[in-house]
Amino acid sequence: MASDQEVYEAAATRLRDAYGGETLPPMRDVLSPTDVKGAYAIQALNTRAWSASGRRIVGRKVGLTAKAVQQQLGVDQPDFGVLFDDMQVPNGGTLSSASCIQPKAEAEIAIILKSDLRGDAVSRADVLAATGQVVAAIEIVDSRISDWKITFADTVADNGSSAFFVLGDMSDAVEALDLYTCGMVMEINGEIASLGAGAACLGHPLEAAAWLASTLTAQGEYLKAGDIVLTGALGPMVALAPGDMVEAKIGGLGTCKFEYGKG
């Protein structure tokens, strides 16, 4: 009988292979829907494999920050995934549709750390002190699970259903910003596609970053100076079609945008 480690390694390989475009059925044969330990074990195996292949970690993303989505998946906590350098799309740039499987876009607030952040009970004030920049962001999420039929364990194992991200160019000192009430509008081809506010992100974007820092510390890791943290969606995510022009506008943070190209 295969050991847990062997089962996890086989599942991790299946997920990596699925980046070629062949999606997988939900991973019920390996993970129960709320198997936190197993899901993060699979994610960690792929993080190590990708790092060994030359990809460079530049930060983390927080997902499942909306209570409604947590309830839908039967969990009471967010999740996280790893951001690699080759996942960043330049602001105003083009993302090839050939790079994605079933992508969706969501507008977020990103923070860029100026100092390391760790601790068993990281507070919002701790995050504030460690933050160097705050910028508007778009995360392009994707799933290697067919038709987005995911459980909590599926999305965690699949690196938080991550794919690409865009960061805005405008940045103010975080102390001068109201990240709680700031409004968000995301437009697709000039039409409003998603609305939201900072409070939609786990009550406050800095709370999401604090949760992440504390969770990583408990796992023996930490956020480093220079890391990018995508703090979570401010409004509903929207499916993308080739040719779409996507722009996010966040109060006090300006805009960021990209084109989802046709090839």
Side-chain angles (χ1 to χ4, degrees):
M1 183 175 179
S3 66
D4 284 349
Q5 184 66 19
E6 290 170 330
V7 170
Y8 294 158
E9 288 176 351
T13 300
R14 285 164 55 198
L15 280 168
R16 290 200 307 277
D17 290 346
Y19 276 74
E22 293 291 332
T23 57
L24 306 173
M27 306 183 75
R28 309 289 194 274
D29 59 324
V30 178
L31 301 168
S32 67
T34 57
D35 183 354
V36 177
K37 180 180 178 182
Y40 278 115
I42 292 170
Q43 183 188 124
L45 285 167
N46 277 338
T47 298
R48 288 196 289 272
W50 283 320
S51 296
S53 74
R55 300 180 75 188
R56 182 171 61 88
I57 295 173
V58 295
R60 299 289 197 283
K61 54 88 43 109
V62 184
L64 305 182
T65 51
K67 293 296 183 183
V69 179
Q70 291 181 15
Q71 292 169 1
Q72 179 183 2
L73 295 182
V75 296
D76 60 358
Q77 61 181 306
D79 72 344
F80 70 83
V82 178
L83 301 178
F84 291 95
D85 56 344
D86 56 5
M87 294 167 64
Q88 185 168 358
V89 178
N91 189 17
T94 299
L95 172 63
S96 169
S97 59
S99 302
C100 300
I101 304 171
Q102 44 190 354
K104 301 181 181 187
E106 54 190 35
E108 307 193 10
I109 289 171
I111 66 174
I112 302 170
L113 298 177
K114 64 182 179 182
S115 57
D116 294 351
L117 185 59
R118 69 178 96 188
D120 295 329
V122 175
S123 68
R124 189 188 303 183
D126 295 329
V127 177
L128 188 64
T131 297
Q133 291 181 301
V134 186
V135 297
I138 301 169
E139 183 182 5
I140 299 93
V141 294
D142 205 349
S143 181
R144 273 51 65 176
I145 305 300
S146 299
D147 300 319
W148 278 93
K149 293 181 178 178
I150 58 172
T151 65
F152 177 79
D154 289 321
T155 190
V156 168
D158 191 19
N159 195 30
S161 300
S162 61
F164 298 93
F165 64 94
V166 185
L167 299 181
D169 297 326
M170 179 179 175
S171 178
D172 288 331
V174 66
E175 295 86 356
L177 299 169
D178 182 353
L179 300 182
Y180 179 76
T181 65
C182 63
M184 177 279 291
V185 178
M186 187 169 70
E187 298 176 351
I188 307 291
N189 303 321
E191 300 290 333
I192 295 174
S194 181
L195 296 169
C201 179
L202 210 65
H204 195 290
L206 296 185
E207 289 289 356
W211 172 86
L212 174 64
S214 299
T215 301
L216 286 176
T217 299
Q219 297 184 4
E221 301 182 62
Y222 65 96
L223 293 168
K224 302 176 178 65
D227 274 357
I228 300 162
V229 178
L230 299 180
T231 56
L234 303 185
M237 59 186 179
V238 181
L240 296 176
D244 280 347
M245 301 290 296
V246 185
E247 183 170 13
K249 304 174 182 179
I250 301 177
L253 293 177
T255 69
C256 64
K257 60 185 177 181
F258 76 100
E259 178 182 3
Y260 185 53
K262 294 184 177 182

